[in-house]
């Protein structure tokens, strides 16, 4: 059973920074991509940033220039450095990964439990 454990959420003032971490544990042969999504109050879940096994990244327009996604392959961990936070960044942030447990099967997907980020003065 593969699990994702997120950490790093909390309360921060506008303009502040937070760093989220997400560690994947369990039987993983290969990770295709890891990403961060968020769901704000009354909103749909949206992609924030993602990073592929090869290191390519994609960001939502609303966070470009402020957020940076990175990964540590040895630890199967992905990070989201969030700078210049705004009240509209307030949301539950979820980690997601697509992975394989063997070369003979397709990709599987798993979600973390979510971590709350609140940006408020």
């Amino acid at each position: 059973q593969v699990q994702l454990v997120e950490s790093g959420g909390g309360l921060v003032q506008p303009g502040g920074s937070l760093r989220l971490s997400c560690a994947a544990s369990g039987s993983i042969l290969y990770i295709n991509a890891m990403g961060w999504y968020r769901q704000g109050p009354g909103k749909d879940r949206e992609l924030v940033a993602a990073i592929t096994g090869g290191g390519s990244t994609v960001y939502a327009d609303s966070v470009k220039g402020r957020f940076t996604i990175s990964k540590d392959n040895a630890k199967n961990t992905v990070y989201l450095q969030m700078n210049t936070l705004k009240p509209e960044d307030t949301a539950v942030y979820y980690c997601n990964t697509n992975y394989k447990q063997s070369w003979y099967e397709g990709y599987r997907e798993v979600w973390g439990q979510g971590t709350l980020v609140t940006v408020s003065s």
Side-chain angles (χ1 to χ4, degrees), residues 69-81:
I69 190 169
S70 61
K71 63 187 178 75
D72 184 331
N73 290 331
K75 298 180 179 180
N76 284 340
T77 298
V78 66
Y79 306 96
L80 186 68
Q81 178 65 44

Side-chain angles (χ1 to χ4, degrees), residues 78-119:
V78 66
Y79 306 96
L80 186 68
Q81 178 65 44
M82 304 185 294
N83 298 327
T84 319
L85 283 160
K86 305 175 181 180
E88 52 263 43
D89 294 318
T90 295
V92 177
Y93 285 70
Y94 297 91
C95 182
N96 170 278
T97 187
N98 289 286
Y99 66 96
K100 282 192 176 187
Q101 293 186 312
S102 78
W103 294 118
Y104 305 103
E105 65 174 37
Y107 286 103
R108 301 188 182 200
E109 182 180 51
V110 65
W111 290 87
Q113 79 285 357
T115 184
L116 178 63
V117 172
T118 303
V119 185

Side-chain angles (χ1 to χ4, degrees), residues 3-68:
Q3 293 184 325
L4 299 178
V5 178
E6 300 137 332
S7 61
L11 173 64
V12 63
Q13 292 186 342
S17 298
L18 280 176
R19 188 192 195 210
L20 304 183
S21 299
C22 171
S25 62
S27 178
I28 298 173
L29 175 66
Y30 173 74
I31 291 179
N32 182 51
M34 297 188 80
W36 289 96
Y37 291 72
R38 68 185 180 187
Q39 187 166 15
K43 298 181 180 180
D44 294 331
R45 189 174 298 189
E46 63 176 355
L47 174 68
V48 177
I51 185 166
T52 69
S56 297
T57 59
V58 62
Y59 295 92
D61 288 342
S62 60
V63 307
K64 284 180 181 177
R66 299 188 297 124
F67 292 10
T68 302

